[in-house]
Amino acid sequence: MDDAVTPDGARTETGLIPLPRDTRPADGAFRPGPGTVLDAGPGTETTAAWLRATVGAATGWPLPPGTAGDGRDGGVIRLRVDADTADALGPEGYRLTVGRTGVTLLGGGAAGTFWGAQTLRQLLGPDAHRRAPLRPGDDWSVPAVRIEDAPRFAWRGMMLDVARHFLPKDGVLRYLDLLAAHKLNVLHLHLTDDQGWRIEIERYPRLTGTGAWRERTKLGHRASPLWDERPHGGYYTQDDIREIVAYAAARHISVVPEIDIPGHSQAAIAAYPELGNTDVIDTNSLKVWDTWGVNPNVLAPTDNALRFYEGVLEEVLALFPSRFVHIGGDECPKDQWRASPYAQARIKELGVGDEDGLQSWFIRHFDGWLADRGRRLIGWDEILEGGLAPGAAVSSWRGYAGGIAAAQAGHDVVMCPEQQVYLDHRQHADPDEPVPIGYVRTLEDVYRFEPVPPKLTPEQAAHVLGTQANVWTEVMETRQRLDYQVFPRLAAVAEVAWSELPPPADRDHAGFTRRMAAHYPRLDALGVDYRPPGGPLPWQRRPGLLGRPIEGSPPNV
């Protein structure tokens, strides 16, 4: 259900997204103000700092440290990490109680306290999401309520492709705030691809000196005749990455880096030609790719390539504390390996059987290499080809099938099928949709996505770590375009990932739509250029840019 149950059985809309597990309104309201104090117990320091920086900025209140007696008429916001809450709801769960004299927020852990603070901010109203007071001195009110809440999944994320179109550092920090506002806790950062290398690697400076820039960019789908003739690029310095990771950690978000191996590697080969299949093509002639699609230029199966990427990953591990490291593994054409005398000899030498086995050899090598350093490999579901590496987890993108096979074999899975949660796919069949790609995936379609296939047994289903939306940016050249494709559908992903919802057909989409009506003003206050329910605004359209729409319903594969 999408509304709260009062003690007398009446119902009242909460407007909260994602939907809390249990909401019980009470009589009255808390009226905070300039005198409100913040009583932050041990383990809640980052939440207290966040409240002062966000709610404090939006209201103009200093929120000084204090206890109940110090708040006088302004009351107190009390934050605690609580063992009973941890036992009942887990470390990300929370209990939020709002009464006439203040707020008590008990988190199962530091993360739970933080997610509860996000709920409190929503209860304060849309203006609490602004960066400065609109009308200083205004009265604020929080309805009296008791909320008990915890997430369904531990992995609740979004994959952001910064390789195809670079998003400067401030844009990444902004998206971390948007993820946090929706209780999403994983940012999967796609850092390398054919069209650009986006992370500084000190021992290999040409990866950014050459690989971070392309001479021009295809406008629209790869079949489009149009080009943007301006050079495009950029990268994050190692200090930028440290800042991004620290900013995310303060919001209880894990940043999972992706370094693509062995396909999607033309930017790296353009910088270091010896990484490519030099006995098949002139790798010295390759440049950073300027168009879209699946690129034939893949890494050569050499020990030199292994050592090179070990060097890359040594620096990556020093920057990212994430337990998981994503190595791609997707869309690796085998044509060059079939044509390469060296690759064919390597297949025989390694005893891997064929080209699929050669790809599996790459993946297994880095699975073991990462495991030796206390990390876990995760890759797109193509890593199943040729045999799944023993310790690897799978991002199931081509549909459910890869995730089902992995879970049945005892491997952990993040469900992110393109037919359901690829947010670069179009949101409506209307011809005014900008650069229409893929199937129509409406807000309701995404809301009815179920990450756990019914054919899995309970033991197998336990291997589904969670879900994420994937945002590929080939046709998202600006922050405005990115926002349009991501929102409001990311709000539906957040609810699917967090809330205990009924089966897809039984979900209360009408109730979700009502709560979204309360959520749009929050997105407005946050400056999000989302797709309005009535369709794109004039400046959100892209007339004349060729897309690749696919008609009909997506297959359930």
Side-chain angles (χ1 to χ4, degrees):
M1 63 185 178
D2 65 279
D3 42 15
V5 180
T6 64
D8 62 1
R11 293 184 184 276
T12 178
E13 292 288 340
T14 63
L16 295 174
I17 288 181
L19 180 68
R21 181 175 294 186
D22 183 68
T23 303
R24 297 182 179 272
D27 293 332
F30 171 48
R31 299 190 180 281
T36 301
V37 297
L38 197 54
D39 179 6
T44 69
E45 294 84 359
T46 57
T47 298
W50 179 85
L51 280 168
R52 291 189 177 103
T54 54
V55 172
T59 60
W61 309 330
L63 296 175
T67 58
D70 303 322
R72 302 182 195 89
D73 295 337
V76 62
I77 299 173
R78 182 171 175 265
L79 310 177
R80 292 291 187 273
V81 171
D82 178 67
D84 289 342
T85 303
D87 290 341
L89 299 172
E92 290 193 282
Y94 66 90
R95 291 183 170 118
L96 175 66
T97 304
V98 180
R100 296 177 187 272
T101 60
V103 174
T104 297
L105 173 52
L106 307 178
T113 310
F114 182 73
W115 303 131
Q118 297 289 346
T119 299
L120 176 61
R121 187 190 194 188
Q122 288 195 16
L123 290 170
L124 274 162
D127 289 346
H129 295 74
R130 297 188 180 275
R131 298 189 182 187
L134 294 188
R135 290 167 288 275
D138 271 7
D139 289 334
W140 293 75
S141 177
V142 185
V145 68
R146 184 183 185 278
I147 296 174
E148 188 171 280
D149 200 9
R152 179 185 179 192
F153 291 112
W155 186 301
R156 310 180 303 278
M158 186 182 89
M159 188 286 301
L160 180 59
D161 169 21
V162 295
R164 272 50 177 273
H165 276 104
F166 179 64
L167 185 67
K169 180 192 68 179
D170 64 334
V172 177
L173 300 179
R174 173 177 175 264
Y175 258 82
L176 286 167
D177 281 330
L178 293 173
L179 294 184
H182 293 82
K183 298 186 176 72
L184 295 167
N185 67 347
V186 175
L187 175 64
H188 168 179
L189 207 51
H190 182 78
L191 290 163
T192 74
D193 216 298
D194 302 304
Q195 295 87 0
W197 186 284
R198 305 293 179 218
I199 178 172
E200 177 187 28
I201 303 297
E202 292 178 348
R203 74 186 70 186
Y204 302 128
R206 294 206 304 272
L207 285 173
T208 47
T210 297
W213 306 91
R214 59 178 180 262
E215 294 178 353
R216 62 177 187 170
T217 300
K218 175 67 71 173
L219 285 174
H221 183 251
R222 60 181 176 272
S224 166
L226 303 177
W227 294 89
D228 182 343
E229 297 292 346
R230 297 172 298 175
H232 176 84
Y235 65 92
Y236 309 111
T237 67
Q238 294 204 357
D239 280 345
D240 290 337
I241 294 293
R242 292 184 183 97
E243 180 183 357
I244 288 167
V245 168
Y247 195 86
R251 287 147 183 80
H252 300 278
I253 296 171
S254 175
V255 183
V256 176
E258 179 178 354
I259 306 295
D260 234 323
I261 303 169
H264 289 287
S265 296
Q266 183 159 321
I269 297 169
Y272 291 90
E274 65 272 20
L275 294 173
N277 293 282
T278 56
D279 59 344
V280 176
I281 61 165
D282 178 11
T283 56
N284 288 291
S285 67
L286 294 179
K287 298 180 179 180
V288 178
W289 213 26
D290 56 13
T291 189
W292 319 121
V294 179
N295 189 298
N297 296 303
V298 303
L299 298 177
T302 63
D303 290 337
N304 175 62
L306 297 183
R307 301 291 88 77
F308 183 96
Y309 276 88
E310 288 173 357
V312 168
L313 288 170
E314 283 176 3
E315 297 191 25
V316 168
L317 296 192
L319 295 168
F320 293 92
S322 165
R323 183 185 178 197
F324 287 95
V325 176
H326 207 292
I327 51 71
D330 64 315
E331 295 180 329
C332 178
K334 312 297 194 300
D335 294 342
Q336 289 185 356
W337 291 347
R338 293 187 185 97
S340 164
Y342 177 84
Q344 292 302 308
R346 194 73 158 145
I347 289 171
K348 293 180 181 178
E349 173 192 345
L350 297 170
V352 295
D354 59 14
E355 292 78 18
D356 284 346
L358 201 55
Q359 176 166 336
S360 181
W361 169 78
F362 264 104
I363 304 305
R364 287 174 180 271
H365 175 86
F366 286 103
D367 176 66
W369 189 91
L370 288 167
D372 288 344
R373 289 154 181 80
R375 307 296 182 97
R376 287 190 65 190
L377 180 149
I378 186 169
W380 302 112
D381 55 55
E382 284 94 333
I383 67 174
L384 292 161
E385 297 170 5
L388 187 62
V394 170
S395 298
S396 188
W397 77 272
R398 290 182 292 182
Y400 286 106
I404 291 170
Q408 289 174 337
H411 295 272
D412 289 338
V413 178
V414 175
M415 282 292 187
C416 49
E418 66 168 328
Q419 301 87 351
Q420 309 292 336
V421 287
Y422 265 39
L423 300 188
D424 46 310
H425 285 201
R426 58 193 172 133
Q427 303 182 64
H428 197 278
D430 191 277
D432 283 335
E433 286 299 308
V435 201
I437 300 294
Y439 296 101
V440 172
R441 294 286 84 192
T442 66
L443 182 62
E444 179 176 357
D445 291 329
V446 176
Y447 186 64
R448 296 191 187 278
F449 164 58
E450 172 49 51
V452 180
K455 70 184 299 180
L456 294 181
T457 67
E459 181 181 4
Q460 294 163 353
H463 285 289
V464 179
L465 300 175
T467 186
Q468 67 182 33
N470 291 340
V471 184
W472 301 103
T473 62
E474 287 95 332
V475 298
M476 300 178 217
E477 74 284 3
T478 64
R479 193 186 83 173
Q480 184 186 52
R481 277 287 293 126
L482 180 64
D483 280 4
Y484 181 91
Q485 291 299 131
V486 171
F487 288 98
R489 292 182 294 180
L490 191 67
V493 173
E495 186 148 312
V496 167
W498 177 277
S499 306
E500 295 283 351
L501 298 177
D506 299 331
R507 291 181 188 170
D508 185 2
H509 177 253
F512 176 71
T513 300
R514 289 193 297 272
R515 285 184 290 113
M516 280 302 300
H519 197 62
Y520 287 119
R522 298 178 192 128
L523 297 179
D524 289 330
L526 288 166
V528 178
D529 291 307
Y530 58 86
R531 182 190 188 274
L537 299 168
W539 58 86
Q540 293 174 320
R541 300 168 186 164
R542 293 292 187 275
L545 283 187
L546 182 67
R548 185 181 61 89
I550 304 175
E551 302 303 331
S553 299
N556 186 15
V557 294

